Amino acid sequence: MDSKIIYKLEFHKVRDTLAGLAATSLGKSRAEVLQPSGKLEEVKHRLQATDEAFAADRLKGGAPFGGIRDIRASLKRSRIGGMLNPAELLDIANTMLGARRLSRFLENVHENRPIPLLMRLAEQISEDRQLEDRIRDCIDEGAFVADKASPELSRLRQELRNGEGRVREKLEQMVRSSSIQKMLQDNLITIRGDRYVIPVKQEYRSHFGGIVHDQSASGATLYIEPESVVQMNNRLRELRLSEEREIERILMILTSLVADFADPLETTLEALGELDFIFAKASLAREMKATLPMMNDRGFLKIRKGRHPLIAKDRVVPLDVELGNKFSTIIITGPNTGGKTVSLKTVGLLSLMAMAGLFVPGEDGSQLCVFDAIYADIGDEQSIEQSLSTFSSHMTNIVTILREMTPKSLVLLDEVGAGTDPAEGSALAISILEHIHRMGCRMVATTHYSELKAYAYERAGVINASMEFDINTLSPTYRLLVGVPGRSNAFAIAERLGLSGRIIEHARGQVGEDDQRVESMIASLEENRLTAEAERLSAEKEHREVDLLKRQMEEERRRFEEERGRLLAKAERDAEEAVKKARREADEIIADLRKLAMEERSSIKEHQLIDMKRRLDEAVPELAPKKPAGIGSTPKKARPLQTGDEVKVISFGQKGQIVDISPEEATVQLGILKMKVALSDLELLKSAPQKQQSVQQATTGLKRTRDEGARLELDLRGKNIEESIIDVDRFLDESFLASFPQVYLIHGKGTGALRAGIQDYLRRHKHVKSFRIGAYNEGGTGVTVVELK
């Protein structure tokens, strides 16, 4: 791509922004030289990589590039036998650590969302934990060779510390001496040239032996190494030299290890730079709120709400444009400062960004084309040095474009034919546009010439467009209107600004009849467009409101179904649990009765036990599917329902038995639950037998043959105390003979007088062991449960 186009369309500014988002110098250097590609497969590959990084950033946050440095110079020096310093070795270790962290990050993302291109780069990252650990063992975080780097270095530094301690101790004794203090400028010990010295006044120089290493600027103070510590300082100097040699030896060993691993590290750096560059593109997409464009190589463009990336988000006006389907050329007309050039640049810049593998600032569904080249003649390139006028500079560019363009090129022309006589300029512009159009290029051109509006109307594959202008505010809206040519608006603007009506009317008379008809036609088209757009916006608003109501209703229905299903499931679980409990208790009773029969050799009929067990099994509620079966459908009825009938509750899908009935509803026993159900929601399954028994009555059938009339409960409701006591006495005798452990006296709640009288009688009865008020599921205060001896 021609570098002039890169700068004309300001792609270099996008590139600079991208470079600023790179985390390492490796990625930044790639961003700075980014070029669009004219190959479709390469562009798709670039965009896929950006999309994978964008997904990884969205799922797991920013990729970790901390610690990664450009260590290529260090690797090169290690190969040629140079010695790396501690800081360079530490950078190498930190880069290896950063590379390993990045590789783990990508593997973690790949487990949740496949990122094959990024993983292919991650596979190029080499690891050598032994080398990394060796460097860290020898070099600390301050880039200083650690004592533990070798035993010899540790010994030398320990001896150095001890020797320095002895020298300082010797000098401190001198400094503390009262006879010497008066000779010192300051009571302190300092260092000159790696040797410990003391500051002595000039006049006492002869009182000290040793060596003078320095003096103050005034010459009043001499820094003297006393003779008593000269040999000790000499020893420290020898130890420091030995330390330096040992450090050099350690650094050379580490450098040779790095050189052995230099080639894999070079490959790793290439992969790290490319990954940083790709994640920088993802960061740019996030900042610009850009989307992934669809790409093609058939010359088709469809930009949806495209925004110029270099204009502030609160000021930019989105652009909608389609090119390459029904028409291959767009001619944009309109006043100056209306946004024609910005629209032209937006089309070109978004195309360059997509071809470079960058997301484009626009809505999803935007499509862009991979062109073999983009050519643009934008702006005034007048040159005094080259004696080129505005028209000449435009013609020079256009001649170059006409010579180099191909049918797969995109051509952008700003103010084509401008800068010369209007009649000649418009004719030349039409001729240039016709030549480019016949070539098959995709083209967007801007102009002031009204003759080009007529050309666009008459030529197939060419369409007019204009920048919208608000007459009321006398300002452009910067919206591109495809299919509508621009109006001059000169008379309307002049009238709004207060120009005399007589002058304006005279001016109108100077305009040709054809031009007036064209202006009237454009005005009518503009009015119709505004009306249609208002109606479209109104329809879209109503459509959104309907969609919102629909979603709300669907959500309400879904919540209702979930709640209904939850309640049904809970009721089924409660019913099933209660029946299971009753079955367990019945099994225990049957086992006790069998045991008694064995012990007392009484004649309990086995088939009665089996029949009662079967009845208890049938009492378990069926778990019907949650979907209600035909609510509102007419249930099958062989005859009118009556008490005792076995029925199916249609809405619940469960079987039960009618225990009470009225003209419109019935009370149905579902396991241990009773509920009122509309007759229309019931389906007859089995007519009532001649003699019905409840589960409790079936249980009371488990008794000796001579006690066939015994039962577990006695209903006393509606009787007075005297009658009730006679019935209770008889009932307790029968229950005692039947060996029932406990029975139920149903006296109702009422005023409580009947309950009090019966319980007073129970306290004196010989067969009663204890009694209590019934539990919630046994009838509550309306039932007294009696435990027999």
Side-chain angles (χ1 to χ4, degrees), residues 586-613:
D587 287 342
E588 293 174 1
I589 293 171
I590 292 172
D592 291 342
L593 289 174
R594 283 176 174 161
K595 183 178 179 181
L596 288 172
M598 294 292 293
E599 292 175 352
E600 302 179 11
R601 299 182 181 278
S602 57
S603 57
I604 296 178
K605 297 178 181 179
E606 186 67 23
H607 74 274
Q608 289 180 314
L609 299 175
I610 296 172
D611 182 60
M612 294 171 187
K613 187 72 167 69

Side-chain angles (χ1 to χ4, degrees), residues 30 44-65 99-111 113-126 267-268 270-283 357 359:
R30 280 170 168 76
K44 287 184 175 180
H45 185 276
R46 291 180 177 186
L47 286 171
Q48 182 184 344
T50 307
D51 188 42
E52 290 181 8
F54 189 81
D57 184 82
R58 184 180 67 253
L59 292 173
K60 298 293 183 180
F65 285 95
R100 189 170 70 254
R101 286 174 177 168
L102 180 61
S103 179
R104 300 295 180 270
F105 170 82
L106 295 176
E107 290 172 1
N108 188 279
V109 174
H110 190 62
E111 292 176 358
R113 197 269 195 191
I115 47 172
L117 295 184
L118 298 187
M119 284 305 298
R120 200 174 302 163
L121 289 170
E123 289 168 358
Q124 300 176 24
I125 296 176
S126 300
T267 305
T268 296
E270 288 297 318
L272 291 175
E274 187 65 22
L275 286 168
D276 183 25
F277 168 61
I278 293 171
F279 273 95
K281 292 194 293 182
S283 298
F359 283 15

Side-chain angles (χ1 to χ4, degrees), residues 608 611-616 618-619 643-646 656-659 669 671 686-703 707-713:
Q608 289 180 314
D611 182 60
M612 294 171 187
K613 187 72 167 69
R614 179 184 61 76
R615 292 180 186 178
L616 288 170
E618 291 176 351
T643 303
D645 286 346
E646 184 177 348
Q657 190 177 59
I658 296 177
V659 296
Q669 183 82 37
K686 186 177 180 182
S687 300
Q690 293 298 319
K691 183 177 181 181
Q692 288 291 325
Q693 291 181 325
S694 64
V695 175
Q696 289 180 336
Q697 290 172 332
T699 307
T700 62
L702 301 177
K703 58 184 179 298
D707 295 321
E708 289 293 326
R711 58 196 186 283
L712 282 174
E713 64 183 27

